[in-house]
Amino acid sequence: MKCMLCENLSLTHICSSCQETFLTPSIYKRKIYNNIEVISFYKYSEIKKLLHTKHTDLGFYIYSILAQNSFKKFAQEFEFETSISSVAIDDNILNGYSHTAILNTELKSKYIKPLYNKLRANNKTSYSGKSKEFRLLNPREFQLKNITHNEVILVDDIITTGSTLTQAIQTLNIGNKEVLFCLTLADASYK
Ligand SMILES: [Zn+2]
């Protein structure tokens, strides 16, 4: 096949040379609700074209490559005093795979146990391209399924206004869970 970025022949959808050049992660931090930190690995503009493969067949492979370059490396270096859970936003299966579940899977480590289908949005309204006001007026109405660990990492692919993650944190707090921090692939506030 051809590398999606340089169009040279490659064994994977993004060749190893492009992965090194374009997908070496950085750390971007932002604080949201209750001073909880959101750590992102890329600027939105850097990987915009790749993120647009979401909900297509190609997206499965692209999100796997992105996750291996960022979430997996993060998890390999992450240490904590106890074992904790990681929970992804909207990880219900659409079109054969869940893009946030792919990210969450790569967090598996000695300290992190990825959990699936723990946070369901009862309101499926898309926030994509919508204003902060719209997001506030249309809460996602998250519903939490039981989690044994008390400390949780939240996972999503993009942070824009932070509304979705804030609502997820509030839902977890109501369920007596502490969100240690959030991890996203890309932060849209970094252009
Ligand atoms: Zn390439």
Side-chain angles (χ1 to χ4, degrees), residues 37-55:
E37 199 156 60
V38 182
I39 300 168
S40 306
F41 301 106
Y42 304 103
K43 295 178 182 174
Y44 178 72
S45 57
E46 289 173 333
I47 58 164
K48 192 175 167 185
K49 182 180 167 189
L50 302 177
L51 293 169
H52 282 167
T53 63
K54 175 160 70 173
H55 306 316

Side-chain angles (χ1 to χ4, degrees), residues 30-111:
R30 181 194 315 194
K31 287 201 172 153
I32 56 169
Y33 175 76
N34 259 359
N35 238 8
I36 291 171
E37 199 156 60
V38 182
I39 300 168
S40 306
F41 301 106
Y42 304 103
K43 295 178 182 174
Y44 178 72
S45 57
E46 289 173 333
I47 58 164
K48 192 175 167 185
K49 182 180 167 189
L50 302 177
L51 293 169
H52 282 167
T53 63
K54 175 160 70 173
H55 306 316
T56 70
D57 291 344
L58 182 60
F60 173 82
Y61 301 101
I62 299 300
Y63 268 72
S64 299
I65 291 170
L66 285 166
Q68 282 157 17
N69 278 277
S70 55
F71 278 64
K72 188 174 186 174
K73 288 179 184 170
F74 179 90
Q76 283 166 348
E77 288 175 18
F78 178 79
E79 292 181 351
F80 202 65
E81 64 247 37
T82 57
S83 170
I84 59 172
S85 297
S86 58
V87 170
I89 307 280
D90 281 345
D91 62 349
N92 49 317
I93 307 288
L94 289 171
N95 311 320
Y97 71 94
S98 153
H99 57 283
T100 54
I102 292 172
L103 305 177
N104 196 11
T105 298
E106 297 296 342
L107 285 179
K108 189 174 189 304
S109 76
K110 189 177 154 191
Y111 301 98

